[in-house]
Amino acid sequence: MAALTRVIPRLLSYNYSLPKRNGISAKPYFIYLTSIHQLRCKLLQINLFHTSLPLLKEVVEGGLGGDPYRRQVVLGIETSCDDTGAAVVADSGEVLGEALHNQQSVHLRHGGIIPPVAQRLHEQNIEQVVNEALEKAGMTVRDLDAIAATVKPGLSLSLSVGTRYGKNLAVSGKKPFIPIHHMEAHALTVRMVHKAEFPFLVLLASGGHSLLVIAHSLDHWSIIGQTIDDAPGEALDQGARRLKLRNIPECASMSGGQAIEYLATGGNPRAYEFPTPMGKYKDCTFSFSGLKHTLTRLIERLEEEYEVEGGNIIPPIQDVCASFQYAVTKHLVRQTQRAMVYLDVRDLLPSQNKTLVVSGGVACNQYIRAALQKLCDTTGYQLLCPPPKLCTDNGIMIAWNGMERWLAKAGVLHDEEDIAAVDFQASSRVAATTGRVCMIWFSQEGNQASSEAGKISSRSTAYRAQKMNDTNCE
Ligand code: KG4
Ligand code: ZN
């Protein structure tokens, strides 16, 4: 609100009559356009679009094509892994049209994602998905202000499809192109629906990533922790496969994480013990492969004990799922708390407005959300998560990230040659076990922050570890 009270007098002081289009002289018209753009950005920042300020809403959204008040519209395209997604999003955060083709059923049959199969499915579906999103929005490419597509990180064969399609559409339609970082999109999605002002702490947990990041601004991110092996979603997916959860009819079409959450609901989270990952290291690094291997050994033991063979399920399936979910949750919460300690000690977030944003497919999990909520209640953070539908991969998050960059004029390519030169980037690092992709968008500072986080956390471990004790996970 404070930002609004600063902006409005400044805007009014320009002294032009507001929606008067004809007869506006060149100079005030220019100032007027600039100011409208600034106001729009400012309103976006302070998330006032959903308020009941009709006049401002009209100023920002009103008017039709060619009108200076016309709302801005971006198309987003996502093909970084196994979902072909597209969406048209307005600067208000309104989703005008969206479409998603999910490849999950095919990959479930193969027992995992096979990149050439994913690529073929993206190629078969991308045109239809993009057209469907545009049709639902009642638009054609001509009506768009810009086109955004995920160019990194992800599976290179998958990324290549969306990158190429988005670039071609931008060049043929003479529209600006905005290359998108998939994890940045996950981190910013929340700003469509909640007021999350920079800087904030982000936990990104998905099938390919496990990251703790400080979001300083649209162009400044510091990674303070990431996985050294698997991502949590990957561990859950592989665990579910080993538990043969697909053979349980209710779970047949669920992702591994979803199936484990579903079965864990009726189980005892303390039934089986799992080791604490990274127990000796006092930093924010994640590791899920140890948990995965402990689960495999546990399943082998139980299969022998209950004489379970073939596609049959071990009887204590609910307790096993609940215990594994508990172990994954505890690790996520523990490392997130370390990150909070680091931020506190370095005074990196405003003390009156400390925010933890959680996103990525694993953030759909209500048990994990509840545990993180408890952590936030203890540490004075507000927890913000996008709705579950926006946590897993989709075109909306790419369109929204494109919109944020479009409004901020950051990373927008107008020149045909610049657009043609954009290439997709799988990753700077690949997880050892499955080839799924780990992190990117480092800065020197991020690396330094990561090692510093270790030192600071280790100094304050005693008091933190006590607070951490299982209370935050149940
Ligand atoms: O973000 P996402 O759609 O794709 C990647 O960028 O990886 O995340 C997919 C991951 C899968 O591993 C899936 O098992 C996990 O998110 N997931 C869940 C839940 N729903 C999806 N994990 C735990 N609980 C859930 N409810
Ligand atoms: Zn993702």
Side-chain angles (χ1 to χ4, degrees):
M1 214 48 206
L4 185 64
T5 38
R6 276 201 310 276
V7 165
I8 290 175
R10 215 186 307 151
L11 185 71
L12 296 180
S13 71
Y14 284 122
N15 197 23
Y16 41 73
S17 53
L18 265 177
K20 192 172 156 196
R21 260 193 287 166
N22 301 326
I24 259 178
S25 73
K27 198 173 164 206
Y29 184 72
F30 172 75
I31 296 170
Y32 164 71
L33 275 181
T34 314
S35 307
I36 284 295
H37 183 69
Q38 282 168 355
L39 176 61
R40 188 183 278 131
C41 295
K42 201 74 214 172
L43 286 177
L44 188 68
Q45 254 176 27
I46 55 183
N47 220 355
L48 267 171
F49 284 88
H50 305 293
T51 68
S52 54
L53 288 172
L55 178 68
L56 284 168
K57 223 169 136 60
E58 209 175 289
V59 167
V60 175
E61 289 184 355
L64 295 166
D67 192 303
Y69 313 122
R70 186 183 61 84
R71 68 183 166 186
Q72 307 291 296
V73 180
V74 171
L75 167 73
I77 300 171
E78 157 65 26
T79 65
S80 69
C81 192
D82 59 344
D83 291 297
T84 318
V88 181
V89 165
D91 49 6
S92 59
E94 190 187 346
V95 179
L96 304 174
E98 64 160 314
L100 187 68
H101 177 266
N102 190 287
Q103 306 177 354
Q104 191 163 287
S105 58
V106 178
H107 297 307
L108 276 174
R109 280 204 301 277
H110 286 113
I113 298 170
I114 299 175
V117 174
Q119 181 186 33
R120 186 167 42 78
L121 290 171
H122 283 309
E123 280 167 349
Q124 282 170 1
N125 291 293
I126 191 156
E127 181 146 14
Q128 199 206 318
V129 166
V130 169
N131 287 343
E132 193 181 325
L134 285 167
E135 269 164 35
K136 284 184 181 162
M139 290 183 175
T140 66
V141 172
R142 240 170 2 134
D143 304 311
L144 302 170
D145 291 285
I147 294 169
T150 309
V151 302
K152 64 183 172 183
L155 301 171
S156 47
L157 291 177
S158 294
L159 283 168
S160 67
V161 180
T163 305
R164 201 180 324 116
Y165 195 90
K167 280 166 55 176
N168 288 345
L169 205 60
V171 171
S172 62
K174 300 199 178 335
K175 298 290 172 186
F177 180 69
I178 309 171
I180 297 294
H181 189 298
H182 182 82
M183 297 318 289
E184 179 180 300
H186 269 308
L188 294 178
T189 312
V190 76
R191 283 158 57 91
M192 283 181 76
V193 283
H194 292 291
K195 181 177 168 180
E197 283 186 26
F198 294 117
F200 50 86
L201 174 64
V202 196
L203 169 65
L204 296 171
S206 71
H209 303 90
S210 189
L211 289 165
L212 279 160
V213 184
I214 309 170
H216 303 279
S217 71
L218 201 53
D219 272 323
H220 186 187
W221 305 79
S222 305
I223 297 176
I224 55 173
Q226 58 180 321
T227 183
I228 52 164
D229 41 54
D230 298 346
E234 191 176 5
L236 290 163
D237 289 343
Q238 289 181 14
R241 231 173 283 145
R242 183 63 187 81
L243 287 162
K244 299 172 271 187
L245 300 189
R246 262 193 76 208
N247 297 346
I248 300 175
E250 309 92 280
C251 300
S253 61
M254 291 181 184
S255 67
Q258 257 177 316
I260 286 179
E261 179 179 19
Y262 173 78
L263 290 165
T265 311
N268 171 13
R270 302 302 190 88
Y272 301 100
E273 281 261 332
F274 282 81
T276 302
M278 306 305 291
K280 289 195 205 127
Y281 303 93
K282 310 299 182 193
D283 59 17
C284 305
T285 304
F286 294 99
S287 167
F288 291 92
S289 72
L291 295 181
K292 202 177 71 184
H293 289 124
T294 305
L295 177 68
T296 306
R297 284 195 299 275
L298 174 65
I299 298 168
E300 283 163 3
R301 180 166 70 73
L302 292 171
E303 281 180 342
E304 212 178 300
E305 198 176 313
Y306 289 95
E307 295 178 12
V308 170
E309 283 177 356
N312 295 329
I313 308 287
I314 43 171
I317 187 70
Q318 288 182 306
D319 285 350
V320 172
C321 287
S323 302
F324 187 51
Q325 179 178 255
Y326 174 67
V328 169
T329 305
K330 199 168 150 189
H331 186 41
L332 287 169
V333 172
R334 182 182 286 267
Q335 304 312 79
T336 305
Q337 197 208 15
R338 282 193 197 287
M340 288 175 170
V341 173
Y342 170 65
L343 297 190
D344 275 1
V345 173
R346 292 294 303 266
D347 210 10
L348 287 171
L349 294 187
S351 55
Q352 295 313 308
N353 187 20
K354 292 189 286 185
T355 299
L356 170 68
V357 167
V358 184
S359 193
V362 177
C364 294
N365 187 297
Q366 297 303 322
Y367 183 82
I368 294 175
R369 283 191 187 207
L372 289 163
Q373 184 62 61
K374 284 200 175 155
L375 171 67
C376 287
D377 293 345
T378 318
T379 52
Y381 273 69
Q382 70 161 336
L383 175 68
L384 296 180
C385 307
K389 184 181 165 224
L390 296 182
C391 285
T392 46
D393 293 352
N394 61 80
I396 298 171
M397 68 185 205
I398 306 305
W400 177 252
N401 194 164
M403 179 57 77
E404 290 229 21
R405 291 196 158 273
W406 172 246
L407 294 176
K409 297 188 170 77
V412 180
L413 305 176
H414 294 267
D415 192 88
E416 235 178 76
E417 275 180 25
D418 292 342
I419 297 173
V422 174
D423 207 356
F424 60 88
Q425 283 170 34
S427 145
S428 61
R429 208 185 119 210
V430 174
T433 44
T434 62
R436 287 202 75 168
V437 182
C438 292
M439 212 23 256
I440 313 302
W441 85 133
F442 279 77
S443 60
Q444 259 324 95
E445 195 181 326
N447 285 330
Q448 194 189 338
S450 179
S451 62
E452 278 183 14
K455 287 182 210 143
I456 287 171
S457 298
S458 85
R459 259 188 261 138
S460 21
T461 307
Y463 123 83
R464 316 292 161 187
Q466 198 194 349
K467 274 216 253 166
M468 284 292 306
N469 267 344
D470 306 342
T471 51
N472 284 325
C473 294
E474 284 185 275

